[in-house]
Amino acid sequence: MSDTVVSAVLNVDVKGPVINRHVYGHFAEHLGRCIYGGFYVGEDSDVPNAGGIRLDVVEALRALNIPNLRWPGGCFADEYHWMDGIGPKEQRPAMVNTHWGNVEENNHFGTHEFMALCELLGAEPYISGNVGSGTVKEMSDWVEYLTRDGDSPMVRLRKANGREEPWRVRFWGLGNEAWGCGGHMSAEQYAAEARRYGTYCRDHGDNRLYRIAAGANSDDYTWTETLMKQLGDLGCAYRPQAFYQALSLHYYTIPGTWQDKGDATVFDTDEYYRTMVKAAHIDELLTGHSNVMDCYDPGKNVGLVLDEWGTWWNVEPGTNPGFLYQQNTLRDALVAGLHFDIFHRHADRLVMANIAQTVNVLQAMILTDPDSGALVLTPTYHVFEMNKGHQDAASLRVDLLSDVPTREVGPDALATVSLSASRKDGKVLVSLSNLDAADAADVELDLRGGSVGGVVSRILTAGAPQTHNTPDAPAAVAPRSHEQVTVTGTRVRVHLPAHSFVTVQVDVA
Ligand code: AHR
């Protein structure tokens, strides 16, 4: 047990907003080895596959209850012309992926392959359309191709390519990073485009699109305000127009500069804490963008979608700089745990979040070895798995009765203990992180408003924050049962070793 004790109250019978399962969403771009070699190996591969899709990757992601997958980008989305990715593979035109590594893209993974992947995963597709270099007609046709039933030019084309039934597609992105790689537009310019594209992305039959406008970079609140203004007038009587139903936001955790972001596995304690400060900043950003949205939409009809988040390090030595391949340590896992605590607190406005990216790119769940094909689950993967019980659960407010320990990090103060809780199906799930690199802490939870039954706890930690998994040591960071939990009446006391992530599941009647 530790000298530092954080006391908190959970009123388990006072349910807050539901944590949308889609905040546990994912992102797969045609970038480096995310699609090719990651998700897709082709039908002739020795790696077990279904129609070219890696079955070990599918199995690992299904264990996370992966709710959605965003595709094909990212920056690639605004260069992608979907018609190049349908029909017989040998007839599909190739292109150069100028944004990512200048490599040739053969378009063998296209619309049908992506939808098959989503079906295997049991995940909802989230398609990002091309605003930057595409046309309204091209995007409108793609929606028709995917979702229309009966008879129409695009339906006939889809059927000719082997798919009778329409798919159901809800999440639809109107471009990506329109302020940057998606066309370098001003907020006003993009807002006009979003209205236009949103108009012609039709609801076919009973398929209802949830159109997501390309939102702000980090703290660009003006961008958010400009997009909100398009949807109607300021005030309580606000009834948003249907051009788009949500705005996105992108924010990456980078303790260094864009030129030198820091190494994924070699870092000192100062850099470790700076990383945590940068990760914690997402709370201020979600609050800021939500506040702007609240002015225009107090009824919270319009969703906020953080469709790119995660750590971004220098690429691994010897790999293509355009492939964004990085290792993933316990530090990354703690960044993920901290993000989720914050997401849970913003459940009233945050409807979706997508980690960048799922396989072999940035803060990945899964790394695959390009030579042997071996698959490694990263520490971040385990946080997604340990936290999956929060999906679609009612959030529970955490009221602190004592101060949380802090570390001075330059001009910033980092709270080193973070926690969040939810309730679903007679169980309360509490996630707790101790971000301190050296000191342990205890958290005493008083669960009021219900009787406390069985408790199951798991821990993710290792000897050092730099610890990571490799094909030779695939379980260097892996969850195990956590025994340092005691229950006295309604009080649950949890010991948190330094740099650890813990979940406690309590049966509550
Ligand atoms: O995730 C990598 C890139 O980061 C995406 O393509 C882009 O949207 C963002 O800048």
Side-chain angles (χ1 to χ4, degrees), residues 129-464:
N130 180 346
V131 170
S133 70
T135 64
V136 172
K137 176 171 168 28
E138 182 182 11
M139 195 186 289
S140 171
D141 282 349
W142 201 5
V143 176
E144 181 183 322
Y145 185 90
L146 282 156
T147 64
R148 195 173 172 88
D149 204 355
D151 191 31
S152 80
M154 287 302 120
V155 173
R156 286 194 287 280
L157 184 58
R158 183 185 74 227
K159 289 182 178 176
N161 287 327
R163 173 79 186 196
E164 266 311 295
E165 298 299 316
W167 290 281
R168 296 200 73 90
V169 179
R170 191 156 51 127
F171 303 123
W172 195 273
L174 305 172
N176 170 74
E177 295 194 352
W179 39 264
C181 62
H184 292 108
M185 298 181 215
S186 67
E188 290 73 20
Q189 207 183 345
Y190 173 70
E193 292 294 326
R195 288 171 66 127
R196 206 159 66 93
Y197 276 78
T199 301
Y200 295 102
C201 287
R202 303 291 194 195
D203 289 336
H204 294 282
D206 62 355
N207 189 75
R208 292 283 166 270
L209 291 181
Y210 189 79
R211 300 166 191 80
I212 300 165
N217 182 23
S218 189
D219 61 356
D220 186 352
Y221 300 117
T222 307
W223 187 280
T224 294
E225 184 171 27
T226 306
L227 288 182
M228 289 304 292
K229 279 182 181 165
Q230 305 301 310
L231 299 182
D233 298 325
L234 184 70
C236 291
Y238 190 78
R239 296 279 175 278
Q241 302 259 21
F243 308 129
Y244 38 88
Q245 287 69 45
L247 316 183
S248 71
L249 168 67
H250 288 180
Y251 174 69
Y252 284 96
T253 297
I254 303 171
T257 60
W258 277 103
Q259 291 67 39
D260 183 11
K261 304 177 195 70
D263 196 283
T265 55
V266 182
F267 52 89
D268 60 19
T269 310
D270 284 351
E271 200 178 337
Y272 167 83
Y273 284 126
R274 274 209 314 279
T275 306
M276 295 307 156
V277 167
K278 291 286 186 154
H281 184 56
I282 189 62
D283 196 13
E284 182 181 319
L285 295 177
L286 293 177
T287 303
H289 288 284
S290 298
N291 286 347
V292 173
M293 295 174 81
D294 283 350
C295 294
Y296 291 86
D297 174 30
K300 300 187 192 300
N301 296 298
V302 181
L304 182 58
V305 170
L306 179 69
D307 54 16
E308 289 186 27
W309 69 273
T311 55
W312 194 326
W313 310 118
N314 297 335
V315 297
E316 290 303 314
T319 64
N320 186 329
F323 281 13
L324 310 187
Y325 176 75
Q326 63 188 43
Q327 248 297 355
N328 191 296
T329 66
L330 177 61
R331 172 177 65 164
D332 295 79
L334 295 173
V335 165
L338 185 55
H339 273 74
F340 285 129
D341 287 342
I342 295 166
F343 293 173
H344 299 161
R345 288 200 287 276
H346 287 274
D348 61 343
R349 179 68 82 175
L350 188 71
V351 298
M352 188 194 287
N354 304 75
I355 185 128
Q357 299 188 7
T358 311
V359 189
N360 289 335
V361 169
L362 299 179
Q363 191 175 351
M365 307 295 107
I366 294 172
L367 303 176
T368 64
D369 189 286
D371 302 321
S372 67
L375 175 150
V376 169
L377 303 179
T378 66
T380 299
Y381 173 95
H382 295 302
V383 172
F384 275 69
E385 191 277 320
M386 292 166 76
N387 256 10
K388 67 184 176 186
H390 290 300
Q391 294 188 20
D392 286 339
S395 57
L396 295 177
R397 210 176 72 201
V398 176
D399 288 311
L400 294 169
L401 300 183
S402 58
D403 289 341
V404 168
T406 55
R407 285 264 175 194
E408 297 297 313
V409 185
D412 300 298
L414 173 72
T416 53
V417 170
S418 170
L419 64 157
S420 64
S422 69
R423 180 174 182 168
K424 186 173 73 175
D425 302 335
K427 294 185 194 311
V428 166
L429 179 63
V430 188
S431 299
L432 309 102
S433 299
N434 181 7
L435 307 179
D436 202 285
D439 295 340
D442 279 16
V443 175
E444 187 166 272
L445 303 163
D446 187 359
L447 275 66
R448 298 181 186 166
S451 59
V452 171
V455 174
V456 177
S457 183
R458 296 164 80 201
I459 185 167
L460 189 74
T461 191

Side-chain angles (χ1 to χ4, degrees), residues 485-507:
V485 178
T486 52
V487 182
T488 316
T490 61
R491 289 170 195 269
V492 179
R493 185 162 168 147
V494 189
H495 180 65
L496 303 177
H499 49 76
S500 65
F501 174 76
V502 168
T503 54
V504 180
Q505 184 187 284
V506 185
D507 291 331

